[in-house]
Amino acid sequence: MIVTLIIVCEVAFWVLLAAGLAFRYALRMPRTGLALLLCEPLLEILLLIVTAIDLKNGADPSWKHGLAAVYIGYTVGHGHRTVKWLDGHAAQRFNGTPRVIPPRYGMARARYEGKVWLGSVVAASVASALLLLAMWYVGDSSRTASLQSWIGFAWRAAGIHGLIALTYTIWPKKAPLNESATATGRERELTGR
C-alpha cells in the first residue's frame, strides 16, 4: 500500500504542477494556479500520515517505509527548486519572460552546484529525522534495522552529490573562447565601452 501511495503522490505532484502552471499561464488565472501549486506539500503530509498509521497498525517497518521517508525528504529538499525551474519555463513559453539559465562555467557554476547540493543535505536531514522518529515510534531496534539502513542510503547519496558538486570548485569548467568573446562583446554593447 505504501509503494502504491508513493507512486500516486509522485503522479499527483506532476498533475498538480501541470495544472497549476496551466491555470497560472495558459488560462491567465494566477491565483488559482498558485493555489494548486501550494497544494503540493499536502501530498507529502498525506504520505507521512498514512505511513505513520501503517506503522501504528503493527506493520513491520520495511524498505517501503524507508522509501517513503526518502521520497518526502527529496521533495522537501528539491521540490521547490523543481517547481521554480518549471515555472520559469512556463513563464518563458507563455509570457515571453526571459528564462533564467543557471551558470555554466567557473565559480558561478560551482556556487550553483553547491546550492543544489544543499538541497540534497536538506533531503537527507529530513529523511533521517523521519526515519529516526519512525524507529522511536516502533520502539524495537530488532524490527527497525531496515529503516536505519535508509539513513545510511540518504547520507551516501548526499555525500556522492557533494563530491560531484566539489569537483566544480576544484576543476571549474572554463567557457569556450568563442563564447567568452561573444559575452565580452555583449557586455561592451550594454555598457557602451
Side-chain angles (χ1 to χ4, degrees), residues 16-153:
L16 275 174
L17 183 57
L21 294 176
F23 273 94
R24 193 167 180 177
Y25 295 107
L27 300 175
R28 306 278 185 222
M29 299 172 71
R31 288 186 181 163
T32 305
L34 182 61
L36 287 168
L37 291 174
L38 290 175
C39 288
E40 299 276 0
L42 297 176
L43 297 171
E44 281 65 44
I45 293 170
L46 172 69
L47 180 59
L48 183 62
I49 291 169
V50 170
T51 303
I53 290 171
D54 193 42
L55 288 171
K56 183 178 181 187
N57 289 339
D60 278 332
S62 68
W63 65 271
K64 300 169 196 169
H65 301 97
L67 181 62
V70 169
Y71 174 81
I72 292 168
Y74 180 85
T75 304
V76 171
H78 292 288
H80 176 72
R81 188 176 49 81
T82 303
V83 170
K84 189 176 176 182
W85 178 72
L86 287 170
D87 186 56
H89 278 284
Q92 189 252 343
R93 170 92 170 115
F94 292 105
N95 289 349
T97 307
R99 192 173 59 168
V100 177
I101 298 172
R104 295 172 49 189
Y105 307 108
M107 291 311 291
R109 177 61 186 245
R111 282 188 295 278
Y112 172 79
E113 292 296 332
K115 288 178 186 175
V116 175
W117 171 69
L118 286 177
S120 293
V121 171
V122 168
S125 299
V126 169
S128 296
L130 291 174
L131 290 163
L132 288 169
L133 279 171
M135 289 166 29
W136 171 79
Y137 186 67
V138 171
D140 182 2
S141 60
S142 65
R143 293 178 50 210
T144 58
S146 67
L147 296 181
Q148 194 164 8
S149 69
W150 279 94
I151 293 174
F153 169 79

